[in-house]
Amino acid sequence: MTKDTAQNETFTPSAEDLASIDAWFAEYDALAARGAVQEIADLAVFPLNLATDVPGGFGAVRQWDREEFVRVMTEVMGGGTAGMEMTSVRTPRFLTPNLVLVETEATVTVEGSTQSMRYADLLVRTAEGWAFQTMVQGGWGHGWPPATRG
């Protein structure tokens, strides 16, 4: 494998690069508010990688195809997130011009109950624009087998 030195040097995103990530998340958030899971799936690259943890203190990983993503997210999102009050602070870290890891610190309030969470998404630039390819968030692994090495 050869290295493309231009791709492996530290990349500093431009204001336009950062704005493109903000625009992508604005679209995602608007779709989530409506519960438009099929349209959200259009913003992904499948198979989608997921990393989480399981009760007992171990990590767990899976890959979802589009069908499984739509099924699970339809259950999770129900009729959308419009009834929730959610604030998010997103910190994009560009690895290259085409790969960006976005860490999100979010606070969600539903019926007076507030919960804080932190999660990350790996976005990849495609010919059609940014797409999410990996989701990382703790607490989703109930019933998942713990990850094993090798």
Side-chain angles (χ1 to χ4, degrees):
M1 186 166 121
T2 61
K3 286 187 174 182
D4 178 346
T5 55
Q7 290 292 334
N8 289 305
E9 293 177 7
T10 301
F11 175 72
T12 302
S14 67
E16 183 178 315
D17 292 321
L18 294 169
S20 72
I21 298 301
D22 289 343
W24 186 90
F25 275 103
E27 179 181 7
Y28 179 94
D29 290 344
L31 293 171
R34 294 192 349 248
V37 176
Q38 289 286 352
E39 292 173 68
I40 291 171
D42 291 341
L43 299 177
V45 172
F46 294 98
L48 183 67
N49 293 312
L50 293 95
T52 190
D53 51 16
V54 296
F58 296 103
V61 295
R62 283 211 171 154
Q63 284 190 325
W64 284 349
D65 61 16
R66 183 184 176 103
E67 181 179 305
E68 187 167 15
F69 173 84
V70 168
R71 181 184 58 75
V72 171
M73 296 310 286
T74 298
E75 290 173 17
V76 170
M77 296 178 107
T81 61
M84 299 180 193
E85 180 183 327
M86 184 168 175
T87 59
S88 298
V89 176
R90 293 188 172 105
T91 306
R93 302 200 188 283
F94 279 78
L95 305 177
T96 72
N98 303 306
L99 301 171
V100 61
L101 184 64
V102 181
E103 183 179 351
T104 301
E105 302 233 7
T107 302
V108 179
T109 303
V110 179
E111 297 177 2
S113 178
T114 300
Q115 178 181 358
S116 295
M117 65 186 87
R118 180 180 296 143
Y119 56 93
D121 297 290
L122 176 66
L123 303 184
V124 299
R125 189 185 306 267
T126 70
E128 298 83 20
W130 289 108
F132 66 105
Q133 201 292 312
T134 300
M135 299 184 335
V136 181
Q137 182 177 6
W140 281 69
H142 296 278
W144 293 19
T148 57
R149 294 178 6 173

